[in-house]
Amino acid sequence: MPKVCLIANVGQRDLQLERHPIPSDRLRDKAAEIMAAFDEYRSRLSAPMLSAALERVRLDSGSGRVDAVVLVATDQTDEHYRNGDTEPAAQVIKKLLSAPAKNAPAIIAVAPIHDAPNSYDRMLDVFRQEVVPRKYAKEAERIYVLCTGGTPACNTALLITSVEHYRERVTALYVSEKTGACTPLKVGAVLLDGYRRAAREHALAQYDFASIAPDATYPELARDIARAASARANFDFETLDQVIAGRYPDLEQLDARAAEHLLADTQRLRKEDARYLLRDLYWN
């Protein structure tokens, strides 16, 4: 089972011959020519942006290796655009990365896209249904996504759908073609925070305090209050009393009158006052 997976959009400038991108209008034919005589070309080939991302992932993951790589590439049905498709280049990159090496990825797969890669809505569907849920990513403990080489629509779709699927397991990366530096994208964290906020709001609307209590994204006081509310909902008045008593000074600072009322209420429930027990049963 792969522990670390990298999903990368392959663009027209990712495969380089003698440190220069292959002209986009000849990319398919030239990549096919290279594949047919790969050993002759091998020493002159490079994939600098993908190599930078792999090195970053190896360092970041702590394992020193990347177990699986998914290369997302275009292979359109429209003949007008096929010359510039990146699927043939992705096959060359796959062979280049597969060369025997100490830290070579164990699994390298090419995921072809047959639809127009400049359609934002269609790319969201394709990445959501076909690319991001691939088995190598689903099985991985950490997923890295490289949003550099593809079209803006493909990079946007990869970023949104990977965070949507895998949440905290995802790190989005960007490689500067000019400097070669690979850096994490803050926008991935922003998207993740949005999902977290939505989940928290849903939990509150459903009175799902049990899911809030262990959530480290909440302040500690809020988590303790949620733990107390969850205990009360489950008629665990001993835990309720312990939490409220322990947090009473903090609650008193927030609202002294409400804190006093809550403490008195808790003590009555702890003493199993029938009137208050029936009231709690009714509201539950």
Side-chain angles (χ1 to χ4, degrees):
M1 179 184 296
K3 290 186 177 181
V4 180
C5 177
L6 170 66
I7 306 175
N9 279 324
V10 176
Q12 293 177 328
R13 298 176 64 83
D14 274 293
L15 177 63
Q16 297 194 6
L17 178 61
E18 295 179 341
R19 298 185 179 183
H20 293 287
I22 298 167
S24 59
D25 60 347
R26 297 181 52 230
L27 186 56
R28 178 178 286 277
D29 291 342
K30 189 63 181 180
E33 178 187 315
I34 292 171
M35 280 294 284
F38 183 79
D39 289 337
E40 295 176 22
Y41 280 97
R42 184 198 298 267
S43 62
R44 294 182 284 157
L45 296 172
S46 62
M49 289 189 284
L50 190 57
S51 296
L54 285 167
E55 186 59 30
R56 174 69 190 233
V57 173
R58 289 187 184 108
L59 291 172
D60 191 57
S61 67
S63 65
R65 70 171 191 268
V66 182
D67 300 293
V69 175
V70 178
L71 303 173
V72 187
T74 58
D75 187 24
Q76 299 170 81
T77 55
D78 190 332
E79 289 292 334
H80 183 69
Y81 298 105
R82 284 181 63 78
N83 285 342
D85 274 338
T86 59
E87 193 272 342
Q91 295 293 350
V92 174
I93 293 173
K94 175 182 176 179
K95 194 161 186 177
L96 190 63
L97 296 179
S98 300
K102 181 179 178 181
N103 55 5
I107 301 166
I108 305 173
V110 175
I113 293 175
H114 304 297
D115 298 275
N118 61 346
S119 169
Y120 281 83
D121 288 346
R122 183 58 189 142
M123 288 304 98
L124 277 172
D125 290 339
V126 169
F127 276 78
R128 184 176 285 128
Q129 297 165 13
E130 301 174 22
V131 175
V132 169
R134 291 176 75 92
K135 63 175 287 188
Y136 310 122
K138 285 196 292 187
E139 295 173 353
E141 295 175 5
R142 290 292 307 163
I143 301 105
Y144 294 83
V145 294
L146 179 57
C147 307
T148 302
T151 65
C154 287
N155 289 332
T156 301
L158 176 57
L159 178 60
I160 290 174
T161 58
S162 61
V163 175
E164 180 182 78
H165 269 77
Y166 302 119
R167 306 295 169 94
E168 287 84 359
R169 291 159 60 193
V170 174
T171 300
L173 303 173
Y174 176 81
V175 175
S176 167
E177 188 174 1
K178 184 177 181 180
T179 67
C182 180
T183 54
L185 285 172
K186 293 180 180 179
V187 68
V190 171
L191 283 173
L192 184 56
D193 187 56
Y195 284 117
R196 286 172 177 158
R197 274 203 312 273
R200 291 198 294 261
E201 289 169 3
H202 178 74
L204 286 171
Q206 298 297 317
Y207 301 100
D208 183 9
F209 302 113
S211 69
I212 296 171
D215 188 342
T217 61
Y218 279 95
E220 189 177 349
L221 178 58
R223 294 169 61 193
D224 281 343
I225 292 172
R227 188 158 67 92
S230 177
R232 184 169 188 168
N234 288 285
F235 304 104
D236 180 3
F237 302 125
E238 183 177 352
T239 299
L240 171 65
D241 188 31
Q242 289 173 353
V243 175
I244 297 302
R247 280 295 189 175
Y248 187 75
D250 300 306
L251 296 171
E252 193 175 29
Q253 283 188 347
L254 291 174
D255 190 326
R257 186 175 179 182
E260 184 181 355
H261 177 77
L262 180 58
L263 182 63
D265 217 21
T266 299
Q267 290 171 346
R268 292 189 191 100
L269 290 168
R270 182 74 188 275
K271 292 176 182 178
E272 298 187 354
D273 184 308
R275 186 166 54 125
Y276 284 90
L277 288 173
L278 285 171
R279 187 192 61 180
D280 259 54
L281 178 63
Y282 172 78
W283 283 112
N284 258 339

